[in-house]
Amino acid sequence: MKIALYPGSFDPVTFGHLDIIVRGSKIVDKLVVGVLTNSAKSPLFSMEERVRMIKDLTKDMENVEVAAFDGLTVDYARRCGATIILRGLRAVTDFEYELQLAQTNKVIAADIDTIFLTTNLKYSYLSSSTVKEIASFGGDIHAFVPENVMEKMKDRWNR
Ligand code: ADP
C-alpha cells in the first residue's frame, strides 16, 4: 500500500491546499494530511481548529486522513507508514526552500522520497498568509478559501 504524508501548517487551509489534497489522493492508496503543531509561526487557528476544518472538507474522500503532529516530518511519516512526503510548488520562490527541505529529509531518511505537485494555475498566487491579511482588513476571501474556513475567519475578526 502506497501511503503519502502531506505536511503543512494549513493556517488556514486554502483552495490551493485542497487542490493538492484532491490530486494527491488520486495517486496514492492513502494520503495523510499532517497538520504541524510546532510551527515556528504563531498560528491564527489552533491545531484542533485547523484539523477540524480539513476533516470537514475531506470527509467524503475515503483514502484521506487528517491528523496533527509535531517533531520531525520524516519521523511522523514513518509512524504513518508513509514512504512519500507530498508538497506543493507554486512558483520559483517556493522551489529553493522546498528543494533544501527535500534534500535534507533525504539525507536523514533515505527511505522516504519527497514528491511535488505543481500548483493548479488558478491558485498559483494563493497563500494562507495573504488570505489572513485580506481577512484582517475585512476583505472578501471567498475566492481563496472554502465556506467553512471563511466563516471561521469572519468569527475570528468579529470577536
Ligand atoms: P508550510 O508552513 O509547511 O509551508 P503551508 O500550509 O504554507 O505549510 O503549505 C503546505 C504545503 O502546501 C507546501 O508544500 C506549500 O508549498 C503548499 N501550498 C501552499 N499553498 C499552495 C497553493 N496555492 N498551491 C499549491 N500548493 C500550495
Side-chain angles (χ1 to χ4, degrees):
M1 176 141 122
K2 200 168 287 166
I3 303 174
L5 169 67
Y6 178 34
S9 313
F10 306 108
D11 184 42
V13 63
T14 67
F15 284 131
H17 296 127
L18 264 185
D19 179 66
I20 300 288
I21 294 172
V22 171
R23 287 158 59 208
S25 69
K26 290 181 186 158
I27 51 181
V28 293
D29 299 305
K30 181 166 130 188
L31 181 69
V32 180
V33 181
V35 179
L36 260 173
T37 45
N38 64 343
S39 167
K41 313 160 188 171
S42 61
L44 175 66
F45 292 107
S46 71
M47 177 267 284
E48 290 82 5
E49 288 172 310
R50 286 178 280 147
V51 168
R52 170 54 47 209
M53 285 188 267
I54 306 173
K55 275 192 174 166
D56 285 347
L57 294 163
T58 56
K59 60 180 186 298
D60 297 328
M61 298 181 205
E62 278 176 8
N63 65 339
V64 175
E65 271 177 24
V66 187
F69 78 101
D70 58 17
L72 287 178
T73 302
V74 290
D75 287 343
Y76 184 61
R78 286 205 181 107
R79 289 207 295 280
C80 297
T83 51
I84 297 166
I85 291 174
L86 178 66
R87 297 283 287 176
L89 279 180
R90 282 165 291 193
V92 277
T93 42
D94 280 341
F95 184 74
E96 209 169 324
Y97 169 72
E98 292 289 344
L99 181 69
Q100 189 187 20
L101 202 63
Q103 287 177 331
T104 308
N105 282 337
K106 190 70 188 167
V107 172
I108 58 176
D111 50 325
I112 296 175
D113 275 306
T114 301
I115 290 183
F116 297 102
L117 280 181
T118 49
T119 181
N120 185 319
L121 275 182
K122 278 196 294 199
Y123 307 125
S124 58
Y125 59 89
L126 189 51
S127 74
S128 299
S129 41
T130 315
V131 173
K132 281 185 278 195
E133 194 172 354
I134 296 171
S136 74
F137 292 113
D140 181 5
I141 54 169
H142 85 274
F144 313 134
V145 295
E147 189 77 29
N148 67 335
V149 177
M150 201 163 78
E151 292 309 316
K152 275 248 166 218
M153 301 282 278
K154 278 189 194 153
D155 288 351
R156 194 50 49 109
W157 272 286
N158 284 339
R159 261 196 265 151

